[in-house]
Amino acid sequence: MAYQTRATTKGGRDGRAVLDDGKLALAMALPKELGGSGEGHNPEQLFALGWSSCFGQAVLLLAKKHGLDGQAAKVTCAVELDKDATSFALKAELSLSIPGADKAKVQALLEDAHQICPYSKATRNNINVTLTVV
């Protein structure tokens, strides 16, 4: 094992989530769009933060191979919670922007990063993911 972290939540989407090391504790709340107060964080926000950061590291790792400046890259992860007649499901969009860079090179980097990012691997064939060059 290279690394492990643990979090505990009490109260579900209207509770409190705490990392076991105590370095981060968040009030959780249903978003207003789902009938909640919106006065806290939600799992989709945390997922978007984690995935964009992790994906950004994959971009940094691969950028030189594509002749691009990884330090100039900006990754955005949009996470949506959809509801059908019986359940909820996630979908996501990963967007990559590198100002002044060739769009085809950025697209190739985006696709390569999606192959090695651990979040992308974990969600592959489980949720709909759109890749977009900005």
Side-chain angles (χ1 to χ4, degrees):
M1 168 180 43
Y3 173 74
Q4 179 185 54
T5 188
R6 291 172 28 135
T8 303
T9 300
K10 183 177 179 187
R13 285 181 170 265
D14 279 319
R16 186 153 184 82
V18 181
L19 290 179
D20 281 3
D21 65 8
K23 293 182 180 178
L24 180 64
L26 297 171
M28 304 299 285
L30 273 170
K32 288 182 180 181
E33 296 85 347
L34 296 177
S37 70
E39 296 296 321
H41 305 282
N42 63 66
E44 292 74 32
Q45 291 172 324
L46 302 178
F47 191 55
L49 284 168
W51 199 350
S52 67
S53 176
C54 188
F55 198 89
Q57 190 62 40
V59 166
L60 284 169
L61 182 69
L62 296 171
K64 189 174 184 178
K65 169 185 162 188
H66 291 274
L68 295 168
D69 179 7
Q71 294 297 326
K74 183 171 90 173
V75 174
T76 301
C77 178
V79 174
E80 292 184 25
L81 183 64
D82 286 334
K83 183 172 181 356
D84 62 22
T86 59
S87 65
F88 288 91
L90 294 174
K91 70 179 182 179
E93 178 182 15
L94 291 165
S95 301
L96 179 59
S97 169
I98 303 178
D102 178 77
K103 188 172 182 173
K105 286 184 175 185
V106 177
Q107 181 70 41
L109 173 56
L110 177 64
E111 291 172 10
D112 276 0
H114 191 50
Q115 293 305 307
I116 69 164
C117 171
Y119 277 69
S120 294
K121 287 181 179 183
T123 59
R124 188 163 291 121
N125 300 319
N126 292 311
I127 69 172
N128 182 18
V129 179
T130 303
L131 302 176
T132 304
V133 173
V134 180

